[in-house]
Amino acid sequence: MLVHLTVLAVLATIASARQVVIDLGYAQYRGQALPNGIAQWLGIRYAAPPLGPLRFSAPQDPTEIDGVQDAAQHGPLCIPTEVYPIPDGTSEDCLFLDVYAPIRFRGVTFKPLPVFVWIQGGGFNSNGNPYYNGTGLIQASNMGIVIVTFNYRVGPYGFLSSAEVVKDGSINNGLKDQIKVLQWVQKHISEFGGDPNHVVIGGDSAGAASVTLLLSAYNGRDDGLFHAAAAESQSFAPMFTIDEAQFCYDNLVFRTGCNSAADTLACLRSLDIATLQRENIATPLPGAQEPPLYFYAPVVDDDLVPDYTYRLFLQGRFIKVPVIFGDVTNEGTTFVPQSLTSTAQANTFLQAQFPALTPTHLSRINSYYNLQNINLTSPSLFPNSTPYWRPTSNAYGDIRYICPGLAMSTAYANARTPSWNYHYAVQDPEDEASGLGVYHVVEINAIWGPENIWFSETVGNPPPESYFTSNRDIVPVMQGYWTSFIRSFDPNPYRFPGSPRWGVWDGDGEGFQRLFVRTEETRMESVPPGQRERCEYLISIGVELTQ
């Protein structure tokens, strides 16, 4: 082992001397050779700056840049919704990506490596999982993969929709940024040792929503941009049509004073970024009483997004490639207010997120999640919360995350395409005591390794302490499944030694089998009958809720 590490250090030193320069045609980038035998290139521009006339437009090719660029720092994040002044480290000029790859040498023949393209979450209103360090996953793969991470436009910069934008701009630009990255990978990843014919996309939350949207893009047209997909906590938010989203545009126009302009879109494009960002706020959706958690989102545009996601998958209009879907136990706890004091308040919260919920829907949901007869005189099970918090969290988590995942796995099983589903249930003592439980996106710490997760005061969360102590053994287990899937389109061949075989989801009868993940307890399990019953109902109304 010592000899192996010494060889890696020598190779890294040699590569560093060669400056790890990559020529992309439009620009040359000098990366960094790390002592662990991996090289990284940070802040590579993959599209032209979306400024001026390119604001609210589809991503364009980057222009040529003279000289060798130093790829030693991440590019700025894209500007989030509802944050003013504009946060440090963010910019409208944000279309950058990072590449991590094992060090290779020119003149030596190597087999191209599988590529993992990570799509971060953030509810389509922020870049919520940025700058993850890919070295841990590469090491877990036995130096057998290449990793790409990137930023994409969010909020109005990525998802402003209206008749005016259709006429003189572009719709769903945040998704088009993602496609632009995948096209970039097809054209350039071989320069880093990656195989453009072996690309796996993955993401969590809105990143996983992006995975499902890309799988069903253009009615499931396969442009060969990727060959397998892993969606963690696939998020099914409601979607508007372009006409229904017009109010977002009209409100922004009025708030910025552009309503008096002859060309309101040109006026919005002419605004300085501070003026525009000051009015980048969330308001209640039509029919709702409160603003939603996430205001801007992809819209049904009859093209890239031809229909609601549920309908597209139920009708078989999606790319047939190997897939992973799955969720954590307590998907809703980080979203629902802990101060809810009545069934009415719980329903108001749910309806703010899904305005199409009717009294009939809510009555059924209240019954399923025991929201009708809660005794407020009983002490709460968790500090700083009321008895309404966890039931409402359970309902929201099922509607938006867990039930869509079961539906996606079944759609793939019905299409006779390999599909694996997981239930991530790794318990952290502090989070269990607080009531957060196994909360939304916490599994990224096990997939990437907790030391490789980037977070700040405003973006992301620090890893639970137990991932460095009592739960540290779950990291190689999850990394084994994920790197095996990236390398072979199957989570089993290269799984961590001693890990149980992850059976496919077949979707029939007793076939609702998924991987239960918990430290020292990982095994296959059946979806409980109660959850199946609840999800059957919630899936049945998914199109009514415009999911």
Side-chain angles (χ1 to χ4, degrees), residues 448-486:
W448 289 85
E451 68 280 4
N452 297 309
I453 301 297
W454 186 92
F455 63 93
S456 68
E457 292 183 359
T458 57
V459 179
N461 295 303
E465 185 61 32
S466 66
Y467 280 76
F468 297 98
T469 56
S470 59
N471 281 318
R472 66 181 180 274
D473 289 345
I474 203 63
V475 176
V477 172
M478 286 293 278
Q479 289 187 331
Y481 287 125
W482 250 253
T483 57
S484 179
F485 184 74
I486 294 166

Side-chain angles (χ1 to χ4, degrees), residues 152-166:
Y152 59 93
R153 285 173 288 177
V154 293
Y157 311 102
F159 295 100
L160 189 66
S161 303
S162 71
E164 293 85 352
V165 179
V166 170

Side-chain angles (χ1 to χ4, degrees), residues 254-293:
F254 275 96
R255 289 198 302 268
T256 55
C258 283
N259 55 301
S260 60
D263 186 334
T264 55
L265 183 60
C267 180
L268 289 178
R269 283 173 166 156
S270 70
L271 294 175
D272 66 86
I273 189 60
T275 299
L276 181 58
Q277 179 63 14
R278 187 167 53 242
E279 305 303 332
N280 179 12
I281 62 173
T283 62
L285 302 176
Q289 301 176 56
E290 299 174 350
L293 293 165

Side-chain angles (χ1 to χ4, degrees), residues 472-508:
R472 66 181 180 274
D473 289 345
I474 203 63
V475 176
V477 172
M478 286 293 278
Q479 289 187 331
Y481 287 125
W482 250 253
T483 57
S484 179
F485 184 74
I486 294 166
R487 296 168 68 184
S488 67
F489 306 146
D490 184 328
N492 292 297
Y494 302 103
R495 68 185 186 275
F496 187 71
S499 301
R501 184 173 184 82
W502 188 349
V504 295
W505 177 281
D506 67 29
D508 296 322

Side-chain angles (χ1 to χ4, degrees), residues 18 41 54 78 93 98 155 243 302 331 355 361 392 454 464-465 512 534 542:
R18 295 175 65 94
W41 293 261
L54 294 185
C78 299
D93 181 10
D98 301 335
D243 289 343
D302 298 319
E331 286 285 3
H361 295 146
T392 309
W454 186 92
E465 185 61 32
F512 280 66
R534 294 190 298 271

Side-chain angles (χ1 to χ4, degrees), residues 34 115 121 126 142 171 198-199 212 216 242 251 297 331-332 377 432 442 478 491 497 504 530 547:
L34 305 176
V115 180
S126 70
N142 196 27
I171 302 294
H198 189 131
V199 177
T212 61
S216 57
I242 294 171
N251 288 350
E331 286 285 3
T377 63
E432 290 300 312
V442 71
M478 286 293 278
V504 295
Q547 291 176 284

Side-chain angles (χ1 to χ4, degrees), residues 75-80 89-94 120 127 130-131 151 454 459:
L77 299 177
C78 299
I79 299 174
T90 69
S91 171
E92 192 175 9
D93 181 10
C94 60
Q120 59 181 306
N127 289 161
Y131 304 153
N151 302 330
W454 186 92
V459 179

